[in-house]
Amino acid sequence: MAVPITSIKKQQFTEEQLKEQKLDNLKQLLSDHEDAVQQVFTIMAELNDIGALEAATKLLEAKEDVAHIALGQLTRKPVTNIINNLMGVAGALTELNPETTTKLIEGLNAGVDEANKALEADEKVSAFKLVKMLNDPDVNRALNFGVHFLKGLGKGLKD
């Protein structure tokens, strides 16, 4: 009968053997991905030719100064106002109904098209013609929308 195994000896590699193994792995990796490696070196050469690598190096060397300048710029009053306004607009946009917004934008586009046609025609609008236009259902609908929009805006401004 065989003698049971009571201990396992783990093979210890020397530091030189580990380096040799890593070098062999790197050689294999380079040969497996030769095209990719060539592309990387081409990109690096182009970046070096235009000075981008030097700029990136200088930027990394001065990272604390750059961070200080960037923070100084971001905390300026106009920048914080922009950020606060964007957050307010984003909050307001989340409250709007997407279908209504789409309909409004389509209406604005149609209105701009009509206005451009009127500009090209270069017709004079008399007071009589203006009163007559009030009977047009499209004009009446837009005026009704505008008047009620102004009423809602006025209510919102009261607070």
Side-chain angles (χ1 to χ4, degrees):
M1 185 176 244
V3 179
I5 299 173
T6 58
S7 65
I8 299 174
K9 289 186 179 181
K10 186 175 179 183
Q11 184 179 3
Q12 296 290 333
F13 292 108
T14 66
E15 193 169 321
E16 188 64 34
Q17 287 173 325
L18 288 174
K19 285 181 182 180
E20 189 66 34
Q21 186 179 9
K22 287 180 183 179
L23 189 58
D24 288 342
N25 290 343
L26 184 59
K27 285 179 187 177
Q28 184 64 40
L29 188 63
L30 287 172
S31 66
D32 289 348
H33 303 288
E34 181 182 353
D35 291 340
V37 171
Q38 286 178 348
Q39 287 178 352
V40 167
F41 280 118
T42 302
I43 290 169
M44 293 303 251
E46 290 293 326
L47 289 172
N48 188 49
D49 289 347
I50 63 172
L53 290 180
E54 183 180 357
T57 302
K58 297 293 183 188
L59 188 64
L60 288 173
E61 289 172 358
K63 64 184 171 250
E64 288 182 18
D65 293 335
V66 170
H68 182 71
I69 292 169
L71 282 176
Q73 292 299 313
L74 286 174
T75 55
R76 288 180 30 236
K77 183 78 171 164
V79 176
T80 56
N81 283 346
I82 288 172
I83 293 169
N84 289 335
N85 286 333
L86 287 174
M87 289 173 53
V89 168
L93 286 175
T94 61
E95 298 292 321
L96 293 175
N97 183 348
E99 292 92 23
T100 304
T101 306
T102 301
K103 192 173 183 180
L104 180 62
I105 290 172
E106 288 170 355
L108 287 171
N109 286 333
V112 169
D113 290 342
E114 285 291 322
N116 282 329
K117 288 177 191 174
L119 283 176
E120 289 172 8
D122 200 26
E123 291 181 26
K124 191 169 189 173
V125 178
S126 65
F128 178 71
K129 193 170 191 177
L130 190 58
V131 171
K132 188 177 175 185
M133 289 176 114
L134 291 175
N135 289 329
D136 183 333
D138 294 331
V139 172
N140 196 284
R141 189 176 310 108
L143 279 173
N144 192 19
F145 177 84
V147 167
H148 286 90
F149 171 79
L150 291 173
K151 184 175 180 177
L153 178 63
K155 282 182 183 178
L157 293 174
K158 255 196 301 190
D159 296 337

